[in-house]
Structure formats: C-alpha cells, structure tokens
Amino acid sequence: MNREAQLLVSIDDMVHVPGGIFTMGSDDHYPEEKPAHKVRVDPFRIDRHAVTNRDFARFVAATGYVTLAEKPVDPADYPGADPALLVPASVVFVPPPGRVDLRNHYNWWQYIPGADWRHPRGPDTSIEGMEDHPVVQVAYEDALAYAQWAGKELPTEAEWEFAAKGGSDGTEFAWGEELVPGGRYMANTWQGEFPWDNQKLDGYEWTAPVGSFPANGYGLYDMIGNVWEWTCDWYQEHGRIQRSCCTLDNPRGGEREASLDARSSGIAIPRRVMKGGSHVCAPNYCRRYRPAARMAQPVDTSTCHVGFRCIVRGSKEDRP
C-alpha cells in the first residue's frame, strides 16, 4: 500500500478541526504554563483517538520497524553509563507499597529491561487483548516514523491544545470546571493518593481502550488522560515566547538547544513537548489532566504512559 492509499484509508477516522484563535497556556496552575497568551492555528485534521496497538502493529508488520526501546543502546551516545542500562529497556511505572517522598520520581519509575511496545510493563507482560488500547513505550522517533509512514505528521503543541479544548476556551477542562462533573469520570486519571493508592474509581488501573470516555466538542477521544501524547515542538518555557502580548500565528515551539534541561547533571538530551496527562496524573501530585498542561519529555525516553496521535495539515477540506 502506497503512502497516498494509506492516507485515504486512515483519514476516515480523523476529525476536521476548524482552526481559530484561542488562549494557550494558563496563569492558574504550573509555572511552565505561564503566561496565557493568544494563538491562532490554521484548520487541520487530527486522529479521532490515539494510535492504538493494532495501528502500530500494522505499521511494524508493513515496515519491519524496530522501536528505540527494542534496540541496545550505543555506549558512545552515553559515555560513562552503567553497562547494565545499555540493554533494550524502557521506563515503567511501578507503584510503591506505601507513601514515599514525592520529590523523588525514582520511587515509582523504573528502567526495566525487556519493556517495549509489545511488553508495556516489562518482559512478562503483553498487549494480547489490548489491541484497542493506545500504543505506549514509543520514543519520539518511533512516533515520527509511524506518522511519516501513514502520510501524516505530529501536531504542534498549539494545534494539539486547540483540538483538546474541543471548542471551549473559557473552562479549566474541555467539559467544564469540574474534574468529575456529577460524579461522572470524563477521562482516565488517578483516583486516590499517588503513587501507591490507586482506587480505580474510573474503572481502569492502567490504560483504557480508546473511546472509553466521552468525546470532546470536536468528537475527539482521550485528549485528556489515558496517555500523554507527543507533539513536534521543542520544549520552551512560555515565558520565553516573544510577543506573548499579541496573537501568535501557528507557533512552532522553541529551538533544539534551548530545549535542553539546564538542571541535568549528566548527558543533555533535547526535549519535546508532550500534552494531555495520563492515567497516573493525580490531584495530589500531577494536575496535568487539562488542555493547557504540558511537560518536557527527552526524545530518547519511552514510557508506559506516553503515546501519540497524528494530524494532516493543508488538505483542501481544511481550508476556509
């Protein structure tokens, strides 16, 4: 199947987003979201839901693609690294047995050999029966490779945030001001005390099948919760945006070198923006289950709670 044919098949499950002006970011939550500022994006189409295990398996079967987590690490890329960490591996959430210091994320994140997209929580796990769950354990280059194969692209942060709002630009959540309106769970997030007491009141401990929760105003599923999603933007603080007082047209994030974490004492890895929060976002620790929320993710890092979805820009149907 050629690229044009792939796109014709997959565009049926994409949603037209009209574009427009909206308020990006927030002044009311985490520092990296400030300042809120006006942005305009052009119309585009976006996947109705995150790329699933079924979707990704089709890509791998067609191309023979091997993800970053499935490859041994080149020692030259990480001088001085422990050889035990240079095997095929990925990052997995492992809940501790009780309360821990929330300032140390190593209390619940572990680098596990054999974890990859087929074995999302380690070598003894599988995706059997999880074909409709979002694919995870994909690094940025893996998401980009899929998008290119499908004849699509990864969204910018602005495009993703505009789509996540679902046409609502004045509320904390796309569905209103309450996280659980009337007791109804609107997204797959964490209930209970993070990271050890997962009460699963929304019905899920890990990922949920795509479409398990209500769609937003554009008909998009799981833009909030379930899994974080990659965007194509290099990470930068909103405070570094020039002309933040004025409407920005189709912003494309920062520069690669500026995305490096200045606090990193080891090897500096550039970072992209990921959006949406995940099933391990909790009120007592990570309130990033909102359209404005954002995180910096090193491009070489895959985890059990990060996936992606794709967009198509500039098609005739998307032009005003």
Side-chain angles (χ1 to χ4, degrees), residues 183-241:
R184 184 185 187 190
Y185 288 95
M186 305 296 287
N188 182 11
T189 59
W190 183 286
Q191 298 86 50
E193 186 177 340
F194 181 86
W196 66 281
D197 178 27
N198 188 347
Q199 297 179 8
K200 299 173 281 188
L201 299 179
D202 60 9
Y204 298 95
E205 181 176 8
W206 300 93
T207 57
V210 296
S212 295
F213 294 85
N216 71 9
Y218 290 140
L220 301 172
Y221 291 96
D222 305 314
M223 296 295 286
I224 298 301
N226 218 14
V227 296
W228 285 96
E229 298 184 11
W230 287 106
T231 75
C232 65
D233 281 4
W234 294 114
Y235 180 81
Q236 72 172 351
E237 300 289 341
H238 278 342
R240 295 183 178 181
I241 298 172

Side-chain angles (χ1 to χ4, degrees), residues 32 53 112 205 234 256:
E32 68 270 12
N53 287 316
I112 296 185
E205 181 176 8
W234 294 114
R256 180 186 184 279

Side-chain angles (χ1 to χ4, degrees), residues 11 23 33 37 90 139 206 219 262 267 274 280-281 303 319:
I11 201 170
T23 302
E33 301 170 21
H37 54 287
S90 199
W206 300 93
I267 299 165
M274 61 179 187
V280 294
C281 282
T303 82
R319 293 171 188 161

Side-chain angles (χ1 to χ4, degrees), residues 132-153:
D132 292 325
H133 287 239
V135 66
V136 294
Q137 300 294 13
V138 283
Y140 180 79
E141 66 182 55
D142 306 324
L144 183 61
Y146 176 96
Q148 292 173 340
W149 170 78
K152 301 179 182 182
E153 299 178 82

Side-chain angles (χ1 to χ4, degrees), residues 9-26:
V9 168
S10 58
I11 201 170
D12 289 341
D13 207 26
M14 301 186 82
V15 172
H16 174 261
V17 175
I21 296 174
F22 74 107
T23 302
M24 185 172 179
S26 171

Side-chain angles (χ1 to χ4, degrees), residues 71-109:
K71 302 174 186 176
V73 179
D74 185 348
D77 293 336
Y78 300 89
D82 181 349
L85 300 178
L86 301 179
V87 299
S90 199
V91 178
V92 176
F93 175 77
V94 179
R99 290 188 177 93
V100 293
D101 185 352
L102 295 180
R103 295 170 296 182
N104 181 5
H105 63 266
Y106 293 110
N107 283 325
W108 55 87
W109 290 115

Side-chain angles (χ1 to χ4, degrees), residues 53-66:
N53 287 316
R54 177 183 287 107
D55 299 328
F56 202 78
R58 176 170 167 253
F59 158 61
V60 170
T63 63
Y65 184 83
V66 179

